[in-house]
Amino acid sequence: MATGVDERPVRIVDAPLAPPAENLGLLSVFKRRYLLKLLVQREISGRYSNSILGVFWSYINPLTQFCVYWLFMGEIMGMSDAKGMENYPIHLFAGLVIVHFFTETFGAGTRSLLGNKGLLKKMAMPKEMFPVASMLVSLYHLVPATLILVIVCVFSGWTPSWDTVPALLLALGIVMSLGTGLALVFSLANVFFRDFGSVVNIVTNYIRFGVPMMYPFTMIEGFLGDKAWIYLLNPIADAVMLFQQAFWVGATPDPEKSAATLPDDLWMWGLGALGASLVLLVIAQLIFSKHENKIPERLT
């Protein structure tokens, strides 16, 4: 005789309640690689939407920058002769490529939480996802600029050496970890105080003059003397010189002479900068995790 009562067994799970988006910090971001990929694709497609040339602008912009620096600073202003450097435009452009990677990561990452507040209110996801996605978008734009740099170096008689790839990877590691760490902290701060977005814009304006991009490191040694090591405490300066070690040195007529304009212990400083950047990234993650629960109420 049917009673009309559903007699299916009820399953009871004896487990503590957990939030819908359990957050393990940056580990959670890479555990959700598919979502991270969608965010990166969304940012890239949004940037080039309604554009005739689309993604080709990522090649045109760095090529245009190189031509401008080569013509005005290398040829018209004669900076190569004035500073005693061979292939000055490549020296400058190599620094510009890695500096732009950092400033774009830092700036876009700082704005990432506010720029995606609609998604943050609707979906349960690690909030670190957005600064990391900004860094990956910047890395995507780094590829065309680096390709242009390689082509120019090849036409200049570039001879890669054994340390080309290690120097390139070390420079990228420094900028990726440092830029992401700063983006985590400043994106959080920008949610609470909108002034931080403007602060970042001001800071990035001075970064180009705080690295040996428009001038050689020997000028800093001549100015600071025995205290030149203070200048090397800047991880971005170390990354710039590693990038120049990878590309510019081998593109000059006398690579040994060009390498002598860089610090003798550049590798030590580079590894130290990477270690410091990773420590900063861990500290930034701890700060972010401590205050991220207050982010939704501030996104109004």
Side-chain angles (χ1 to χ4, degrees), residues 82-142:
K83 296 182 181 296
M85 291 189 299
E86 298 289 343
N87 274 345
Y88 175 75
I90 295 179
H91 178 278
L92 179 63
F93 189 61
L96 184 67
V97 168
I98 198 70
V99 165
H100 183 71
F101 177 35
F102 172 75
T103 55
E104 184 178 357
T105 298
F106 189 19
T110 298
R111 300 185 298 270
S112 61
L113 293 180
L114 285 178
N116 292 278
K117 61 182 180 181
L119 282 176
L120 280 168
K121 291 179 179 179
K122 295 177 182 178
M123 297 182 62
M125 64 175 68
K127 298 174 182 62
E128 295 91 342
M129 186 84 68
F130 298 99
V132 172
S134 296
M135 183 273 293
L136 293 178
V137 171
S138 301
L139 184 63
Y140 173 85
H141 290 124
L142 176 74

Side-chain angles (χ1 to χ4, degrees), residues 65-212:
Q65 288 181 353
F66 172 78
C67 291
V68 168
Y69 283 117
W70 169 77
L71 177 61
F72 287 96
M73 302 196 73
E75 298 298 319
I76 296 178
M77 298 179 65
M79 297 298 287
S80 298
D81 297 332
K83 296 182 181 296
M85 291 189 299
E86 298 289 343
N87 274 345
Y88 175 75
I90 295 179
H91 178 278
L92 179 63
F93 189 61
L96 184 67
V97 168
I98 198 70
V99 165
H100 183 71
F101 177 35
F102 172 75
T103 55
E104 184 178 357
T105 298
F106 189 19
T110 298
R111 300 185 298 270
S112 61
L113 293 180
L114 285 178
N116 292 278
K117 61 182 180 181
L119 282 176
L120 280 168
K121 291 179 179 179
K122 295 177 182 178
M123 297 182 62
M125 64 175 68
K127 298 174 182 62
E128 295 91 342
M129 186 84 68
F130 298 99
V132 172
S134 296
M135 183 273 293
L136 293 178
V137 171
S138 301
L139 184 63
Y140 173 85
H141 290 124
L142 176 74
V143 174
T146 305
L147 181 60
I148 297 296
L149 177 60
V150 169
I151 292 174
V152 172
C153 287
V154 169
F155 277 99
S156 298
W158 182 44
T159 304
S161 60
W162 65 269
D163 58 355
T164 296
V165 174
L168 170 64
L169 295 178
L170 183 54
L172 293 180
I174 293 170
V175 175
M176 290 171 67
S177 50
L178 180 63
T180 304
L182 290 175
L184 283 172
V185 174
F186 277 79
S187 64
L188 178 68
N190 197 40
V191 169
F192 290 87
F193 305 100
R194 304 298 194 265
D195 308 82
F196 277 88
S198 300
V199 170
V200 170
N201 291 333
I202 294 173
V203 170
T204 53
N205 287 335
Y206 289 92
I207 289 179
R208 292 180 177 85
F209 297 95
V211 299

